[in-house]
Amino acid sequence: MGRLSKSVMLKRFYITIVCFIICIAGHKQLSADTDAFRSFQFRIIHHITLEGNRKVEDAAIFANLISKTGDRLSSESIRKDIKTLWGMDYFNDIRVYVESVKKQKVVLKFVFEEKPSLRKVFISGNSEVELSDINDVLDLKKNSILNLTKVKENQKKIRALYKEKGYYLATLEHQIRPINDVEVDVWYLIKERSKVEVKEITFVGNNKISDQEILSVIQTKPGNFLSFLTDSGVFSGEVFQRDLLIITAYYYDRGFIDLKIGEPNVQLSRDRQDIYVSVPITEGKQYTVGTIDFDGDIGDDKTSDYGVITLKEGKLFSRSDVGKTIKQVVNFYRNQGYAYADLKPITKKRKEAEIVDLTFRVKKGKKVYYERINIVGHTTTRDKVIRREINMLEGELYSQAAVDLSRQRITALGFFESVDISTQKGNSDDLIEITVEVKERKTGGFQFGVGFSSAEGIIAQTQISQENLLGHGHSLSLSLQFSGLRQLFSLRFVEPHLLDTDWTFATNLYNQVSAYDSFSRTSTGGDITFGRFLNYRTRAFLTYKIESVEASNRNAGLFSLSSPSSRSIPTDITSVANLFRGGLTSSARVSFRYDSRNNRLFPSDGIFQDAFFEIADDFLFSENIFTRYGGFIRYYRKLFGNFVLKLNADVGVITSRDPLGVPITERYLIGGIYDIRGFQPRSLGPLILIHPSGEDAQSLISLPLGGNLKFVWNSEIEFPILQSLGVSGVVFFDSGNSYNLESRYCNDRDHALNSVSEKYNPCFRFPESFTSGLRFSAGFGLRWQSPIGPLRFEWGIPLDRQPHEDPIVFEFAIGNFL
C-alpha cells in the first residue's frame, strides 16, 4: 500500500498545535511555549479562518467551535475545539495558528488535512444473495468522507443479512483501496459458503401441547428432501424470534397465561453444516374464563346490546377472543358515533380455581360528526371516482362500519396498491376529519403469451387493456386468442357508474370460432349490458345480445391439432341436419349476482353466486328460438392453516318451442378440465347413432347430442406445497352430466344409443335418469402461480369408468378454476 493507505489503515492521526505566530513590530516569530502563549491569552479574537477543508462545509465546522469571533482567546477553549473537531471523524490532521493583527486582537486559523472521500463501494463474492438485497442494507454514500466506523458498521449489516438468509458460515472482510491522494474505494469481500440447515428442534417442558403441534404453527422447521428447492429448514434468527412470539400467542389462546419461554439453546454441529435448537418452556396452569363484566361509561347499555360476543364464560381463556371482544364492543360504540370509544380489559386470576375473571372498562367519549373528507395521493384517478365509493357524507354521524366499507369499496376498484383511511380531530371536539390516502398502481397493460394446454393445444393470446381510462374509472380492453379449440377477438368497454349513478353500462363486440370434436361454432356479434347495485354485494344485470351463429363440420382453429377422435359428420343426414343449423340469435338476459369473496382472484372465504334467465324469440327478431336459465353457487372456506375448501354447483337448462328443438351450438357439451375432470373434453352427455349415407347399415357413427340440462358439482381442497414458489396441491371430487329433454330424439329408437348404457341414453326420465346418469370422478393435481399466469396440472380418475374410457386422464390448462 502507498503512503495514504498507511495513514488510513494504521490510524496515524495526530493533533498538533505547531506554533503561535505572533506578529508584533518587526513580525518576529515566537515559539509556542507556555509563557509566550500566556502573554496572548484573553486577547479578542478578531476573526477565525479555515483552510484545507474540501468536503466538510465551513458552516459544519463553525457549528462545532466553542471559540467565536469577539470572544477572548483561551487555551481551554482551543483544546475543546480540537477535541470536538476530531470527534467529527473527518480529518487526519488539525493545526491551529494564532496571529496578532491589531493591538489586543488576534486571528485564529484552523488548518485541516481531510480524510479521503469515498468514490465507490464494491461487493465481491456474492452469488446466492442478490446485490440489490445487499444495497438495501448499506448506507455508505458516494463522495462522502471516509468514515471507518461506518465502514465497519456496514460490514456488520451485511453479515446480519447473510445470517438472516441462513448463511451462518459466511465470512466477510473489508478493504480500503486508494485511487489517488484524495479518493478511495471500499471493497467488501464475501465468502458465502453453504447455508446452515435446521437438523432438529426440540421443546423442553411442554406437557399439554406436543412438539408437532407447536411445529405446525411456526415457520422454522427441520429441513426435508425439498429444502434444496426452497428455504424450508434454513435457520434465520429474525424468523426464529418471530416464531417465539407465535408460540407465546398460541399458548395464550389456549389458556396458558402464565407461560414462560426461556432462552433458546442454539448449537452448530461439528461440521458446522447443521444447527440444533432447543426451546425451554414453562407452561403453567391452564385457565378458563370466569365472570365477564362491563363497567365504565356504559349508561343503560346491556351486554346483550353488543350482540353475541366471542368471549364465553367457561371456555378456555384466549387472548385472541379478548381482542375480538374488544373490537366488537368498540365498533358497537363507534358505529353510534363515538369515534374515540375505547375498551380496557382488566383481568383477575383465581389461581386455585384456574379461572380468569374479566372486567371491560368502557370509555365512550363524545359523539362526533364528519367535518371534512379529504382524498390525497391520487394523480391520475379523478376525485369523483374515489368519492363515489365513500360511504360517508360530511355532516353525518361517525360510523366505523361506514369507514370500513368505504375502504373495501375503494380497494375493490383495483386502481390502488394501498388504501389507508385515517382520522384527526376537527375544529371542535364533536367534529372529525377523514383522510383517504391512496397509492396508485399502473392500470394499463399489454400482455402477450404463448403456451400449451392438453385441452386446447398451442395457445397464443394478446391483450391490451386500460382499467382506469383517463382516470374516469372506465375499462377498455382488446383481446385476441388463438388455439386448437378457439379463435377469439373481443373489444369490451365498461362504465361502472353511468352518468355518475349506481347504474353500470358495458358493451362487447366479438368474433369467436370454437372447435368441437365433430363440428365448429362460429359466432359474430355484440351485447349491451345495464346493471345496478342493489346493495354492496348484490347486483342486477339486463343484457341484450345479437349474434350470427354458424355451425360447420370443419374443425377450425389457427393451431388445430389432429387426433384420432376428430372426424367430420355429414350434416346432410336428415336425422341430424337440424342439429347443425345456424342463424341469427337475438336474446335478452336478466341476471342477479351476489359476491362476498374476500379475494376475487384467490378466494379463501365467502360466497359467489349467479342466477340468470335468457330468452331468444321471434318477438326479438331472433331466428334461433330458445329459453335458457340456471346459475351457479360457489362456497369458499379456510379449513385450517392454508387449507381451503372450495365447492361449486352449476345448473343450466335450455329448451325451445321450435319443433326442430335446440341446435347443437346452444346445447351443453361437458367433460374435461373445465367442468368434470377425469373425462376427455366434451365427452359426457347423451349420444346418438347415425347411419352415414351411402354406407353399410351396420356402419354407425356415434354423435354427441349435447344436453338441454346440465348439472356440474365440484369439490376440492387446495393446500400449499412450496409456498415461496407459489406451488400448491389439490385433491378433488367431481360429479355431473348433461341430459336430453327433447322427445324427438327419445322417440327415434333406431338412432338412440340406449342399448349400450343408461349413461348415454338420450331419453330423460326424472328422477331415475338424473341419478343413474350422474358421472363421478376424483383426482389430484398441482397448481403454480407462474409469471405467465396460473397453471393447472391435474389427474382425474373416473369412478364409474366405461369400457371405452381411459382409467386416468391428465390435463393441464392456463387460468384459475374455482
Side-chain angles (χ1 to χ4, degrees), residues 291-296 311 317 322 326 343-349 356-362:
T291 60
I292 302 173
D293 293 319
F294 294 86
D295 65 12
L311 207 60
F317 177 87
V322 173
I326 291 173
L343 193 68
K344 182 180 180 181
I346 301 172
T347 59
K348 181 179 179 182
K349 289 190 295 185
V356 178
D357 298 323
L358 292 105
T359 300
F360 293 93
R361 187 148 296 160
V362 178

Side-chain angles (χ1 to χ4, degrees), residues 578-592:
N578 292 322
L579 272 177
F580 291 90
R581 69 186 189 276
L584 180 71
T585 298
S586 175
S587 70
R589 175 187 175 109
V590 177
S591 61
F592 296 88

Side-chain angles (χ1 to χ4, degrees), residues 372-538:
R372 188 178 294 108
I373 300 174
N374 307 307
I375 303 175
V376 298
H378 57 302
T379 56
T380 301
T381 307
R382 302 298 176 95
D383 192 83
K384 69 175 184 179
V385 173
I386 303 172
R387 198 167 291 276
R388 67 194 179 196
E389 303 298 332
I390 296 176
N391 198 37
M392 300 174 282
L393 292 175
E394 294 172 354
E396 282 187 343
L397 190 65
Y398 178 89
S399 170
Q400 185 64 44
V403 173
D404 295 339
L405 181 58
S406 299
R407 182 185 296 107
Q408 292 175 14
R409 293 182 60 167
I410 297 170
T411 302
L413 289 173
F415 305 157
F416 310 107
E417 291 182 6
S418 62
V419 178
D420 296 316
I421 299 182
S422 59
T423 62
Q424 51 270 351
K425 185 179 177 182
N427 289 325
S428 62
D429 291 340
D430 62 344
L431 295 176
I432 190 170
E433 281 195 17
I434 301 292
T435 299
V436 180
E437 184 175 0
V438 298
K439 182 179 180 182
E440 290 183 317
R441 69 173 182 86
K442 293 182 179 179
T443 55
F446 172 78
Q447 297 178 350
F448 174 78
V450 177
F452 185 86
S453 164
S454 61
E456 298 193 41
I458 299 175
I459 299 174
Q461 55 187 6
T462 299
Q463 183 178 51
I464 303 172
S465 64
Q466 175 53 258
E467 299 298 325
N468 187 16
L469 187 64
L470 301 177
H472 288 281
H474 304 156
S475 173
L476 181 64
S477 64
L478 172 65
S479 300
L480 298 171
Q481 186 180 101
F482 302 94
S483 73
L485 292 184
R486 77 180 76 185
Q487 297 177 7
L488 172 65
F489 165 84
S490 174
L491 178 63
R492 181 172 177 80
F493 173 79
V494 179
E495 162 58 285
H497 290 271
L498 182 63
L499 302 176
D500 294 326
T501 66
D502 287 335
W503 286 90
T504 298
F505 171 78
T507 185
N508 183 32
L509 300 174
Y510 59 87
N511 174 265
Q512 181 172 354
V513 180
S514 299
Y516 294 82
D517 182 45
S518 55
F519 74 97
S520 64
R521 180 185 190 273
T522 302
S523 59
T524 302
D527 58 59
I528 296 176
T529 298
F530 291 92
R532 181 177 174 83
F533 281 94
L534 303 181
N535 56 48
Y536 174 60
R537 299 192 184 280
T538 307

Side-chain angles (χ1 to χ4, degrees), residues 767-794:
E768 57 268 23
S769 290
F770 180 79
T771 54
S772 64
L774 284 176
R775 304 302 309 277
F776 302 93
S777 67
F780 58 93
L782 294 174
R783 292 175 182 173
W784 177 32
Q785 302 303 323
S786 74
I788 64 171
L791 301 181
R792 298 168 54 204
F793 305 84
E794 295 176 357

Side-chain angles (χ1 to χ4, degrees), residues 147-398:
N147 185 321
L148 285 177
T149 302
K150 231 176 180 183
V151 171
K152 293 177 181 178
E153 288 175 354
N154 279 265
Q155 182 173 325
K156 291 179 180 179
K157 289 179 180 180
I158 299 174
R159 183 175 286 114
L161 174 66
Y162 268 87
K163 284 186 177 181
E164 180 185 335
K165 293 185 176 293
Y167 294 92
Y168 270 72
L169 304 180
T171 60
L172 180 67
E173 64 177 19
H174 73 267
Q175 291 182 359
I176 310 296
R177 299 182 182 180
I179 302 303
N180 49 51
D181 288 343
V182 294
E183 289 182 313
V184 297
D185 287 341
V186 173
W187 283 75
Y188 289 106
L189 308 179
I190 302 170
K191 292 182 180 178
E192 291 181 330
R193 296 189 171 90
S194 60
K195 290 183 177 182
V196 174
E197 187 175 290
V198 178
K199 192 70 173 179
E200 184 181 46
I201 303 178
T202 57
F203 302 93
V204 181
N206 54 312
N207 300 314
K208 300 290 181 66
I209 298 181
S210 67
D211 287 13
Q212 290 302 317
E213 188 174 351
I214 298 174
L215 284 171
S216 68
V217 299
I218 63 176
Q219 189 172 343
T220 303
K221 289 180 172 62
N224 53 47
F225 70 97
L226 292 175
S227 295
F228 72 97
L229 288 176
T230 69
D231 286 335
S232 62
V234 174
F235 185 80
S236 167
E238 182 180 350
V239 172
F240 182 65
Q241 290 301 317
R242 188 163 60 247
D243 284 339
L244 294 179
L245 296 176
I246 292 173
I247 295 171
T248 301
Y250 191 78
Y251 266 95
Y252 278 14
D253 282 348
R254 283 148 186 80
F256 297 96
I257 58 178
D258 293 331
L259 172 78
K260 293 182 180 178
I261 297 181
E263 185 68 26
N265 182 21
V266 180
Q267 291 185 343
L268 281 170
S269 60
R270 289 185 178 180
D271 59 4
R272 302 178 66 82
Q273 298 297 311
D274 300 316
I275 198 167
Y276 295 83
V277 182
S278 176
V279 183
I281 295 176
T282 304
E283 292 179 330
K285 296 181 177 181
Q286 192 173 21
Y287 290 83
T288 57
V289 177
T291 60
I292 302 173
D293 293 319
F294 294 86
D295 65 12
D297 189 15
I298 61 175
D300 296 329
D301 298 328
K302 300 177 182 178
T303 304
S304 58
D305 295 336
Y306 304 140
V308 181
I309 62 175
T310 307
L311 207 60
K312 302 289 184 183
E313 294 183 5
K315 283 181 60 178
L316 284 177
F317 177 87
S318 168
R319 187 169 65 177
S320 293
D321 287 348
V322 173
K324 292 176 183 177
T325 300
I326 291 173
K327 183 178 180 180
Q328 183 177 353
V329 176
V330 165
N331 283 345
F332 169 79
Y333 286 110
R334 290 183 178 178
N335 289 336
Q336 297 181 37
Y338 299 100
Y340 303 112
D342 193 21
L343 193 68
K344 182 180 180 181
I346 301 172
T347 59
K348 181 179 179 182
K349 289 190 295 185
R350 289 186 275 162
K351 291 187 177 182
E352 298 295 332
E354 299 181 3
I355 289 175
V356 178
D357 298 323
L358 292 105
T359 300
F360 293 93
R361 187 148 296 160
V362 178
K363 184 179 179 182
K364 293 194 296 188
K366 289 184 178 181
K367 284 190 175 182
V368 297
Y369 299 82
Y370 302 118
E371 180 183 24
R372 188 178 294 108
I373 300 174
N374 307 307
I375 303 175
V376 298
H378 57 302
T379 56
T380 301
T381 307
R382 302 298 176 95
D383 192 83
K384 69 175 184 179
V385 173
I386 303 172
R387 198 167 291 276
R388 67 194 179 196
E389 303 298 332
I390 296 176
N391 198 37
M392 300 174 282
L393 292 175
E394 294 172 354
E396 282 187 343
L397 190 65
Y398 178 89

